[in-house]
Amino acid sequence: MAFVAALTGMGTLSASASEMRPSTDNVVVDGRTFGPEDGMRVVEESFELDESANDERVGRVWETTPSEGEIGAQTYWGASYAFSEHPTDFTYYGYAHAAGNVYNGERIIQVCMWFTQGTRAQIPTCSSATSNGSYWSPGIKEFTAFADSLDPNVPVTIFNIRTTRIDPGVV
């Protein structure tokens, strides 16, 4: 819980606008196909990373807030998140977790992350929540690393996040 508390207050550096619209495509998560009929929405965000902010985490936490008097689902599911750190001059680290929790009326079932720098781009690394048909369980916590360039003339490094969200009633 201390980890989630530490992330909740984290700031963002130069975030781009999110793409927040329903998707007309289907997405496969944990071997199941989800589409518009499931209230499926894919949201992408990008963050420019400032190399001078080595100690700062950049990204998002999608935390469930229980209703008044309710024992929190967050205790079971936890929070979904994706964030980047730049602990050395040579490497960026990325962390992602799809907890299957409900955030703002949508269940987060997949969180993907990847770094880009100019023409260099990683293949996305994704964490996917799982469902047994009765309830959702958190996915595996994922990690990725991206080698930075020491050349001061290279384009800025971008941390990209994609979340797949569905109607919370879909199991």
Side-chain angles (χ1 to χ4, degrees), residues 49-52 54 84-94 115 117 122 143-149 156-159:
L49 301 177
D50 181 351
E51 291 185 23
S52 66
N54 284 354
S84 168
E85 293 180 324
H86 190 49
T88 73
D89 288 338
F90 306 106
T91 310
Y92 287 99
Y93 295 145
F115 291 94
Q117 185 182 62
Q122 277 186 318
F143 169 81
T144 191
F146 186 75
D148 197 5
S149 172
V156 67
T157 302
I158 307 291
F159 181 59

Side-chain angles (χ1 to χ4, degrees), residues 1-103:
M1 287 303 211
F3 173 73
V4 171
L7 286 177
T8 304
M10 105 178 127
T12 60
L13 300 174
S14 188
S16 73
S18 301
E19 182 178 328
M20 303 284 251
R21 60 181 171 79
S23 176
T24 56
D25 298 328
N26 290 331
V27 173
V28 177
V29 175
D30 190 40
R32 289 181 53 194
T33 302
F34 297 93
E37 65 279 1
D38 300 305
M40 192 267 307
R41 211 164 56 103
V42 176
V43 178
E44 290 194 11
E45 300 176 83
S46 297
F47 300 86
E48 289 187 0
L49 301 177
D50 181 351
E51 291 185 23
S52 66
N54 284 354
D55 295 337
E56 290 199 36
R57 290 181 173 167
V58 177
R60 295 271 188 243
V61 175
W62 301 276
E63 187 172 9
T64 303
T65 305
S67 301
E68 184 69 33
E70 176 184 42
I71 296 176
Q74 177 183 349
T75 304
Y76 178 73
W77 283 300
S80 296
Y81 58 80
F83 68 91
S84 168
E85 293 180 324
H86 190 49
T88 73
D89 288 338
F90 306 106
T91 310
Y92 287 99
Y93 295 145
Y95 304 86
H97 183 228
N101 61 310
V102 176
Y103 173 79

